[in-house]
Amino acid sequence: MIIDTNAPINTICYGRVSQDKKPWHNGRRINTHMLVCLEKGFLKMQVGKNLYSMEKGDIILIPEDTFYRPIEVKEISYYFLHFSATVANKKDEPLHMSFNPRLPEGDFEFSYWGGHSNVKIKTLSHTADNDDVRKILNKIAALNIKTNEQKLLLDCFVRELILNISEKNISNKKMSYNMVKIIKYIDSNYFEDITLSSLSEKFGFSQSYIARLFKNELSTTSVKYLNHTRVINACRMLLCSGKTIGEISEEVGFKDQYYFTRVFNSFLKMTPSLYRKSRIVT
């Protein structure tokens, strides 16, 4: 399910419940979305026509007006949240990001543009090792809502929970220390002549090892990552400067403007000049 996080998210009901060995009902539909967050035990749940087995730390999403029922219960405790939210069907628009590598050490500046407010939630999310999710659930459990302001705070926590269990966020793997070092170097020096050979020489790793890091941890290659970094910085310069396409191409590290245009088009499905024209209102 895709949720528009810019639209209101309104929590209708929430709580924490313990069950022993019997399913607590024989199946129902509700007119709100529902999250069930298993704190301990084992739960087999039917959602629509599918069966899902849940263990400690798992979260299941039941969309509104969807039949669901507990099938098997083994000494469980769980949080539940009923909420309303806008379901979206928009395609992903990439979020562009850059930071200023020329600032002195300790200072930083990040820039973001593009992107959208939609997040995709899987029916079943595995969050047992996600500290952020546990902290949010603890905050929700500690609430004793008596004012409208506290209710708004609850809605903020639910929005934060939805963001933390989104498909892209929950599937992101932590990068290894070596991968982080290489990525930081590329992000800060993308305008230089960076190759597998130069990375190997700088960090003392073999080229094949670096290639495996990019494939296993980022599902890409060093060349594609470098080009993507150059393109998102080129986007910023196209919108925020009056420099020519050729000047921008050279500043972000491309020696050939034709190749820059080809790479840019492969990521954004448009040329740099069209990108500039389509996003600047005169």
Side-chain angles (χ1 to χ4, degrees):
M1 188 170 81
I2 301 175
I3 295 176
D4 182 355
T5 58
N6 266 351
I9 293 175
N10 182 31
T11 311
I12 311 298
C13 176
Y14 77 104
R16 180 181 176 277
V17 176
S18 297
Q19 301 284 345
D20 292 328
K21 297 181 180 180
K22 293 182 179 180
W24 55 98
H25 62 70
N26 293 322
R28 63 179 60 154
R29 298 173 187 267
I30 54 176
N31 60 0
T32 62
H33 308 302
M34 180 179 178
L35 287 172
V36 175
C37 316
L38 197 62
E39 186 180 34
K40 69 174 184 178
F42 172 83
L43 171 63
K44 182 177 287 187
M45 179 81 81
Q46 176 185 351
V47 179
K49 296 181 180 180
N50 299 314
L51 293 179
Y52 299 92
S53 296
M54 300 177 63
E55 297 180 349
K56 178 181 177 181
D58 288 347
I59 298 179
I60 199 163
L61 170 66
I62 304 166
E64 64 180 352
D65 198 31
T66 300
F67 178 82
Y68 75 97
R69 66 178 176 131
I71 302 294
E72 184 180 347
V73 176
K74 293 181 181 178
E75 298 180 348
I76 64 172
S77 63
Y78 62 93
Y79 295 95
F80 65 90
L81 292 157
H82 297 246
F83 66 97
S84 63
T86 299
V87 178
N89 294 301
K90 297 177 183 177
K91 293 183 179 179
D92 285 357
E93 177 189 348
L95 173 67
H96 302 295
M97 181 191 78
S98 67
F99 72 91
N100 188 344
R102 297 173 178 83
L103 292 175
E105 186 174 355
D107 294 344
F108 58 90
E109 174 194 341
F110 287 89
S111 301
Y112 301 89
W113 61 98
H116 58 76
S117 61
N118 299 332
V119 296
K120 186 175 182 180
I121 311 295
K122 287 184 176 180
T123 302
L124 184 63
S125 303
H126 303 286
T127 66
D129 58 350
N130 192 313
D131 289 335
D132 292 330
V133 169
R134 285 199 296 270
K135 289 176 182 178
I136 296 167
L137 291 173
N138 289 337
K139 289 178 183 179
I140 292 174
L143 287 174
N144 183 16
I145 298 176
K146 295 181 180 179
T147 66
N148 187 58
E149 287 75 16
Q150 290 173 322
K151 168 59 167 58
L152 292 173
L153 184 61
L154 169 64
D155 292 339
C156 289
F157 288 154
V158 174
R159 183 188 303 273
E160 187 179 359
L161 177 64
I162 288 170
L163 292 172
N164 272 275
I165 65 171
S166 65
E167 185 176 276
K168 289 184 178 179
N169 190 56
I170 209 70
S171 63
N172 283 345
K173 298 178 181 178
K174 292 183 179 179
M175 289 190 292
S176 66
Y177 177 70
N178 289 340
M179 185 82 266
V180 169
K181 285 197 303 183
I182 295 171
I183 290 302
K184 284 185 176 180
Y185 175 76
I186 293 176
D187 288 348
S188 299
N189 301 277
Y190 60 87
F191 40 82
E192 296 182 357
D193 184 18
I194 297 176
T195 63
L196 259 181
S197 177
S198 67
L199 290 173
S200 174
E201 183 177 348
K202 177 170 180 60
F203 293 100
F205 305 140
S206 70
Q207 294 185 37
S208 59
Y209 172 74
I210 295 174
R212 285 198 304 273
L213 283 179
F214 277 93
K215 180 180 179 180
N216 295 336
E217 299 192 24
L218 296 181
S219 300
T220 188
T221 66
S222 59
V223 173
K224 287 182 179 179
Y225 182 87
L226 173 61
N227 283 342
H228 182 260
T229 304
R230 287 172 170 172
V231 166
I232 62 175
N233 280 280
C235 288
R236 173 177 54 82
M237 296 174 70
L238 285 165
L239 300 183
C240 301
S241 77
K243 295 178 180 179
T244 66
I245 305 297
E247 289 171 334
I248 292 173
S249 170
E250 186 175 350
E251 285 199 26
V252 297
F254 290 99
K255 296 179 180 178
D256 180 84
Q257 182 180 333
Y258 173 76
Y259 180 60
F260 164 63
T261 299
R262 194 174 70 182
V263 170
F264 192 99
N265 186 67
S266 70
F267 282 105
L268 298 182
K269 309 306 178 187
M270 66 176 72
T271 64
S273 57
L274 181 58
Y275 179 87
R276 171 178 269 171
K277 290 177 183 178
S278 66
R279 283 160 173 76
I280 295 180
V281 179
T282 57

